mmCIF file of all heavy atoms in Angstrom:
data_model
loop_
_atom_site.group_PDB
_atom_site.id
_atom_site.type_symbol
_atom_site.label_atom_id
_atom_site.label_comp_id
_atom_site.label_asym_id
_atom_site.label_seq_id
_atom_site.Cartn_x
_atom_site.Cartn_y
_atom_site.Cartn_z
ATOM 1 N N GLY L 1309 -49.611 3.286 2.723
ATOM 2 C CA GLY L 1309 -50.889 2.811 2.215
ATOM 3 C C GLY L 1309 -51.592 1.852 3.156
ATOM 4 O O GLY L 1309 -51.069 1.478 4.208
ATOM 5 N N PRO L 1310 -52.800 1.442 2.765
ATOM 6 C CA PRO L 1310 -53.687 0.681 3.641
ATOM 7 C C PRO L 1310 -53.383 -0.815 3.724
ATOM 8 O O PRO L 1310 -53.940 -1.500 4.582
ATOM 9 C CB PRO L 1310 -55.059 0.886 2.981
ATOM 10 C CG PRO L 1310 -54.732 1.051 1.523
ATOM 11 C CD PRO L 1310 -53.424 1.778 1.480
ATOM 12 N N ILE L 1311 -52.515 -1.309 2.856
ATOM 13 C CA ILE L 1311 -52.298 -2.761 2.797
ATOM 14 C C ILE L 1311 -50.835 -3.054 3.097
ATOM 15 O O ILE L 1311 -49.939 -2.436 2.522
ATOM 16 C CB ILE L 1311 -52.681 -3.301 1.404
ATOM 17 C CG1 ILE L 1311 -54.189 -3.112 1.173
ATOM 18 C CG2 ILE L 1311 -52.287 -4.771 1.251
ATOM 19 C CD1 ILE L 1311 -54.663 -3.503 -0.210
ATOM 20 N N ALA L 1312 -50.594 -3.992 4.015
ATOM 21 C CA ALA L 1312 -49.216 -4.421 4.319
ATOM 22 C C ALA L 1312 -49.119 -5.912 4.032
ATOM 23 O O ALA L 1312 -49.953 -6.683 4.512
ATOM 24 C CB ALA L 1312 -48.883 -4.132 5.779
ATOM 25 N N VAL L 1313 -48.156 -6.310 3.233
ATOM 26 C CA VAL L 1313 -47.990 -7.733 2.909
ATOM 27 C C VAL L 1313 -46.575 -8.178 3.274
ATOM 28 O O VAL L 1313 -45.665 -7.350 3.411
ATOM 29 C CB VAL L 1313 -48.248 -8.032 1.407
ATOM 30 C CG1 VAL L 1313 -49.655 -7.608 1.010
ATOM 31 C CG2 VAL L 1313 -47.226 -7.345 0.521
ATOM 32 N N ARG L 1314 -46.404 -9.495 3.410
ATOM 33 C CA ARG L 1314 -45.063 -10.020 3.621
ATOM 34 C C ARG L 1314 -44.312 -9.947 2.297
ATOM 35 O O ARG L 1314 -44.921 -10.113 1.224
ATOM 36 C CB ARG L 1314 -45.129 -11.464 4.112
ATOM 37 C CG ARG L 1314 -45.672 -11.568 5.540
ATOM 38 C CD ARG L 1314 -45.806 -13.005 5.956
ATOM 39 N NE ARG L 1314 -46.607 -13.750 4.954
ATOM 40 C CZ ARG L 1314 -46.921 -15.019 5.039
ATOM 41 N NH1 ARG L 1314 -46.498 -15.749 6.064
ATOM 42 N NH2 ARG L 1314 -47.652 -15.612 4.112
ATOM 43 N N PRO L 1315 -43.005 -9.740 2.341
ATOM 44 C CA PRO L 1315 -42.272 -9.556 1.082
ATOM 45 C C PRO L 1315 -42.391 -10.759 0.148
ATOM 46 O O PRO L 1315 -42.402 -10.583 -1.075
ATOM 47 C CB PRO L 1315 -40.824 -9.331 1.531
ATOM 48 C CG PRO L 1315 -40.770 -9.663 2.970
ATOM 49 C CD PRO L 1315 -42.140 -9.565 3.531
ATOM 50 N N GLU L 1316 -42.542 -11.964 0.701
ATOM 51 C CA GLU L 1316 -42.631 -13.139 -0.174
ATOM 52 C C GLU L 1316 -43.984 -13.217 -0.887
ATOM 53 O O GLU L 1316 -44.157 -14.005 -1.811
ATOM 54 C CB GLU L 1316 -42.328 -14.441 0.586
ATOM 55 C CG GLU L 1316 -43.173 -14.711 1.818
ATOM 56 C CD GLU L 1316 -42.615 -14.091 3.114
ATOM 57 O OE1 GLU L 1316 -41.967 -13.021 3.050
ATOM 58 O OE2 GLU L 1316 -42.854 -14.676 4.190
ATOM 59 N N ASP L 1317 -44.928 -12.371 -0.468
ATOM 60 C CA ASP L 1317 -46.261 -12.423 -1.063
ATOM 61 C C ASP L 1317 -46.489 -11.384 -2.156
ATOM 62 O O ASP L 1317 -47.620 -11.213 -2.632
ATOM 63 C CB ASP L 1317 -47.333 -12.261 0.024
ATOM 64 C CG ASP L 1317 -47.350 -13.462 0.954
ATOM 65 O OD1 ASP L 1317 -46.872 -14.544 0.533
ATOM 66 O OD2 ASP L 1317 -47.794 -13.323 2.107
ATOM 67 N N VAL L 1318 -45.442 -10.673 -2.563
ATOM 68 C CA VAL L 1318 -45.610 -9.698 -3.634
ATOM 69 C C VAL L 1318 -44.334 -9.672 -4.492
ATOM 70 O O VAL L 1318 -43.233 -9.822 -3.970
ATOM 71 C CB VAL L 1318 -45.943 -8.289 -3.054
ATOM 72 C CG1 VAL L 1318 -44.819 -7.757 -2.191
ATOM 73 C CG2 VAL L 1318 -46.302 -7.287 -4.129
ATOM 74 N N ASP L 1319 -44.514 -9.541 -5.800
ATOM 75 C CA ASP L 1319 -43.359 -9.411 -6.697
ATOM 76 C C ASP L 1319 -43.124 -7.917 -6.908
ATOM 77 O O ASP L 1319 -43.858 -7.268 -7.648
ATOM 78 C CB ASP L 1319 -43.646 -10.119 -8.026
ATOM 79 C CG ASP L 1319 -42.498 -9.936 -9.019
ATOM 80 O OD1 ASP L 1319 -41.561 -9.157 -8.716
ATOM 81 O OD2 ASP L 1319 -42.550 -10.559 -10.091
ATOM 82 N N LEU L 1320 -42.109 -7.406 -6.241
ATOM 83 C CA LEU L 1320 -41.937 -5.942 -6.245
ATOM 84 C C LEU L 1320 -41.414 -5.403 -7.566
ATOM 85 O O LEU L 1320 -41.574 -4.218 -7.852
ATOM 86 C CB LEU L 1320 -41.014 -5.519 -5.102
ATOM 87 C CG LEU L 1320 -41.686 -5.594 -3.737
ATOM 88 C CD1 LEU L 1320 -40.710 -5.160 -2.655
ATOM 89 C CD2 LEU L 1320 -42.942 -4.725 -3.694
ATOM 90 N N SER L 1321 -40.792 -6.255 -8.393
ATOM 91 C CA SER L 1321 -40.324 -5.688 -9.666
ATOM 92 C C SER L 1321 -41.483 -5.474 -10.635
ATOM 93 O O SER L 1321 -41.437 -4.559 -11.459
ATOM 94 C CB SER L 1321 -39.198 -6.517 -10.281
ATOM 95 O OG SER L 1321 -39.558 -7.854 -10.302
#
Side-chain angles (χ1 to χ4, degrees):
I1311 295 175
V1313 301
R1314 290 176 307 181
E1316 55 272 31
D1317 292 338
V1318 62
D1319 177 353
L1320 286 180
S1321 49

